[in-house]
Amino acid sequence: MCIWWILAEPGLVIQFKVDSLNIEGHSPCHFDRLDLHEEEGNGFNTHQLARWCGNVAPPTVNTNTSRLKVSFVSDASVGGRGFIARYWMIAPSDKSCAWDEFLCDGGRCLFASFNCNNFYDCLDGSDEVNCAQYHDCGGVLTASEGSLATPKHPEQYPHRQTCVWHISVTRGQVVQLMFHNFSLESAGDCQYDFVEVHDQASSSPSTLMGRYCGDSLPPILISPQHEMFVIFVSDEGESDEGFFATYQAVNKSQVACGPHEFSCINGQCEAMQWVCDGWNDCLDGSDEMNCTNITHLPYETACEKIEVEMCQGLGYNETSFPNIWLEIPDQRSAISTLKGYKLLTGLVCYENLRVLTCSIFVPKCTWDGGVLPPCQSLCLSTEKQCQHSLESLGIMWPFNCNLFPDSDDPIECVGPI
């Protein structure tokens, strides 16, 4: 255990910057750790500013007082190279961040990647102000025709984006979607950057019309009903020019399928290879009518039993992976991400926090293999109950409640307990 006290002259504050970090563990740093506490007056009143471990140097820290306590603790196993840090004594008006960081909350520094990422990481919300030019994407489209595109198109789209468009036209019409430009990071199973198109306002596998990436234009897509759901996801890796697409509402009678497509009775178009394959690809089942010598495949749900200890006993016992919201591939990865949750069990609001966290990280699986997000009301009530308790632990509220459905219908989302 090593402790340093950095004491500035009264009226000054301290700027602290870690240049390199190599300390055992991952957040919440159960083993080795580097802690920062700012102290007031005689040092009896302290406030934790940060706790770090791992291999990524954290952003700059600006204190609000003239006293900073720096503590390094290591246990009896697994060592690392440790850390190197610098400090400056500055006037409060001179608080700043490194060139690749974002300044908010009157002196708090965040990595630039947290700026305009659809989450309020700053308490004052300044990291999500004036972001239209970076990630203005998604929304509800109700006009009879319109367009949608990736952020900054035709320039390279930003990393860590999730854009959702809900297209809804007049009942009795269908949506015809056509991509004009298309260039996303390529992968065999489109696991990195991708566009998904669903034939309903849902992201469940049963509504999926197609997932696309690479440089090939997707086919013209026609919804069987008056709604369509388009999801764009980009990860932290490569970026490309993205896509530009247009849609229009057409009458079912006007829908003409391509020469290599099957026309369902309801006007839906499906590839000929899906005809008489044992699955009802047309919603009306017409692709499986008048078929002979077909052995229908048994239905297999994509749901799996919940193995994450934190998320057991919540009123649902099955989930579905991979988690496309957070790019978590399987339950083992979810367990690793949530392994420090026991530190939060003492909070008065823990039960609601547990429901909210699990419905995001280990979501409820529906009968058709889809998943339910948390309701906005669950997120807002939990934020109200937990925000101050989490801040006392040095944890900022991590969720943007506006991203969740404004509904309390248990068919659409998971509500408060």
Side-chain angles (χ1 to χ4, degrees):
M1 175 180 289
C2 308
I3 299 176
W4 297 263
W5 280 272
I6 303 174
L7 310 178
E9 294 292 330
L12 298 180
V13 295
I14 299 163
Q15 187 173 82
F16 188 86
K17 175 63 177 172
V18 175
D19 291 322
S20 66
L21 186 77
N22 183 250
I23 295 177
E24 177 198 5
H26 302 280
S27 180
C29 306
H30 290 304
F31 309 111
D32 301 350
R33 60 188 180 271
L34 176 63
D35 285 337
L36 296 188
H37 289 81
E38 63 177 1
E39 301 182 344
E40 297 179 5
N42 55 13
F44 289 112
N45 296 321
T46 65
H47 170 66
Q48 185 176 32
L49 296 176
R51 169 169 288 183
W52 299 314
C53 57
N55 301 312
V56 178
T60 306
V61 169
N62 294 292
T63 71
N64 292 310
T65 70
S66 60
R67 300 169 62 98
L68 179 66
K69 178 184 177 182
V70 182
S71 307
F72 171 70
V73 176
S74 64
D75 62 9
S77 65
V78 185
R81 294 190 300 274
F83 75 95
I84 297 176
R86 294 174 290 159
Y87 70 89
W88 298 264
M89 297 174 183
I90 60 174
S93 59
D94 292 336
K95 291 180 181 179
S96 62
C97 299
W99 67 271
D100 57 347
E101 297 171 353
F102 180 78
L103 177 67
C104 67
D105 295 337
R108 184 161 166 248
C109 297
L110 297 175
F111 288 124
S113 60
F114 286 80
N115 184 25
C116 294
N117 68 345
N118 286 325
F119 288 91
Y120 288 101
D121 302 287
C122 299
L123 295 178
D124 59 12
S126 58
D127 58 314
E128 298 301 315
V129 174
N130 299 323
C131 291
Q133 66 270 34
Y134 299 107
H135 72 256
D136 186 15
C137 63
V140 179
L141 307 176
T142 57
S144 60
E145 60 182 34
S147 63
L148 45 154
T150 48
K152 303 174 68 175
H153 180 79
E155 298 179 36
Q156 290 192 339
Y157 50 79
H159 301 303
R160 300 176 60 194
Q161 299 295 296
T162 300
C163 313
V164 178
W165 293 269
H166 178 195
I167 304 172
S168 179
V169 299
T170 304
R171 289 183 180 273
Q173 296 183 312
V174 295
V175 180
Q176 179 175 284
L177 180 69
M178 178 183 295
F179 289 89
H180 301 276
N181 300 323
F182 196 88
S183 184
L184 273 62
E185 179 184 2
S186 181
D189 52 0
C190 296
Q191 62 178 317
Y192 305 120
D193 300 349
F194 60 84
V195 171
E196 277 192 356
V197 182
H198 295 257
D199 59 23
Q200 297 177 29
S202 167
S203 60
S204 74
S206 64
T207 66
L208 181 65
M209 301 179 71
R211 174 185 278 208
Y212 308 100
C213 61
D215 298 321
S216 299
L217 278 177
I220 296 175
L221 298 167
I222 301 174
S223 66
Q225 302 298 328
H226 70 288
E227 290 185 304
M228 184 177 281
F229 212 50
V230 183
I231 304 172
F232 166 68
V233 173
S234 65
D235 64 4
E236 297 181 351
E238 297 179 18
S239 181
D240 216 318
E241 296 177 2
F243 70 84
F244 174 78
T246 59
Y247 77 90
Q248 61 177 338
V250 297
N251 294 324
K252 289 186 178 181
S253 59
Q254 297 176 320
V255 175
C257 298
H260 302 292
E261 293 180 318
F262 175 79
S263 179
C264 306
I265 293 176
N266 64 2
Q268 182 180 350
C269 297
E270 290 293 341
M272 292 297 297
Q273 69 188 85
W274 307 132
V275 178
C276 293
D277 66 345
W279 292 101
N280 288 330
D281 300 289
C282 298
L283 292 183
D284 57 20
S286 56
D287 60 314
E288 299 303 314
M289 293 180 180
N290 303 317
C291 297
T292 58
N293 299 323
I294 297 297
T295 302
H296 287 269
L297 301 175
Y299 176 75
E300 294 183 2
T301 177
C303 299
E304 56 189 74
K305 186 176 180 181
I306 293 176
E307 300 174 0
V308 182
E309 181 184 22
M310 175 185 181
C311 302
Q312 294 176 341
L314 285 180
Y316 65 93
N317 55 18
E318 289 188 320
T319 185
S320 178
F321 279 83
N323 185 327
I324 65 169
W325 303 331
L326 302 177
E327 299 176 8
I328 300 176
D330 49 38
Q331 289 205 61
R332 180 177 297 180
S333 300
I335 291 172
S336 177
T337 302
L338 297 172
K339 64 182 179 180
Y341 79 91
K342 291 185 178 179
L343 294 175
L344 306 176
T345 55
L347 299 179
V348 175
C349 64
Y350 173 69
E351 278 306 312
N352 266 344
L353 182 62
R354 185 165 78 105
V355 175
L356 174 62
T357 303
C358 289
S359 61
I360 296 174
F361 285 83
V362 189
K364 179 180 179 179
C365 187
T366 60
W367 66 271
D368 59 358
V371 291
L372 293 184
C375 297
Q376 190 176 114
S377 57
L378 170 61
C379 183
L380 291 173
S381 62
T382 306
E383 180 181 15
K384 184 176 180 181
Q385 296 173 23
C386 289
Q387 187 171 14
H388 294 299
S389 298
L390 290 176
E391 288 177 4
S392 68
L393 298 174
I395 303 172
M396 299 298 102
W397 179 252
F399 306 119
N400 181 358
C401 297
N402 294 323
L403 297 178
F404 304 128
D406 186 10
S407 170
D408 291 318
D409 189 337
I411 297 178
E412 298 183 20
C413 55
V414 176
I417 57 176

